[in-house]
Amino acid sequence: MQVTINGKDEKLFGNPPEVGEQLPKFKLEDADGSKVKTADIVGHITLISTVPDIDTPVCSVETRKFNQQADKYPDANFLTISNNTLEQQKDWCAAQGVSNLKLLSDESLSFGYAMKLYMPNFGALARTIFIVDATGKIVYRQIVPEITDEPDYADALAALEKLAKRVDD
């Protein structure tokens, strides 16, 4: 599969999983350095957002927007995954006041290779959104064609609302 970065073609490691497929096995790290595996995600409705680099403007905006939405969906987990180091992610969360979603590190690229979202020539994950149901089945997939563009938030949240109840403040 291919996406673009500033209009330049960039290949992904393979073809990302489709709607209807199960999440593959992978390992990530949370802010405490604890391992987060696929099995830790299964059992919960989860919105997974992947970003190339948390310290860039579009990735920062995207993660903040999902952080603002997270508390409106108490039945759902919100995860943002990048291959930034844990230290970079902690610093970003502290600077941005992000606390409603979990930022997970794929510095080992386990997730990127398992989900086929790693861009080997660019050295980062593609910008995507996946929603998985409590059984670990992918029910929504958005692969942003141009990495420098923001995702379609409304489309992703509409898909999430089919699974998780929204509460308005």
Side-chain angles (χ1 to χ4, degrees), residues 112-133:
Y113 282 122
M115 293 284 287
K116 313 285 193 265
L117 299 176
Y118 182 62
M119 299 178 292
N121 294 332
F122 188 65
L125 299 175
R127 184 177 314 286
T128 68
I129 300 169
F130 286 86
I131 298 173
V132 296
D133 67 13

Side-chain angles (χ1 to χ4, degrees), residues 80-143:
T80 294
I81 300 169
S82 75
N83 54 314
N84 293 90
T85 66
L86 288 177
E87 197 59 40
Q88 288 171 315
Q89 289 185 346
K90 281 185 207 174
D91 291 348
W92 184 88
C93 283
Q96 300 295 325
V98 167
S99 59
N100 294 337
L101 62 72
K102 274 191 181 172
L103 196 53
L104 300 173
S105 176
D106 188 33
E107 194 176 1
S108 70
L109 303 177
S110 169
F111 181 85
Y113 282 122
M115 293 284 287
K116 313 285 193 265
L117 299 176
Y118 182 62
M119 299 178 292
N121 294 332
F122 188 65
L125 299 175
R127 184 177 314 286
T128 68
I129 300 169
F130 286 86
I131 298 173
V132 296
D133 67 13
T135 69
K137 183 173 80 172
I138 296 167
V139 296
Y140 177 86
R141 174 181 106 151
Q142 181 183 152
I143 297 170

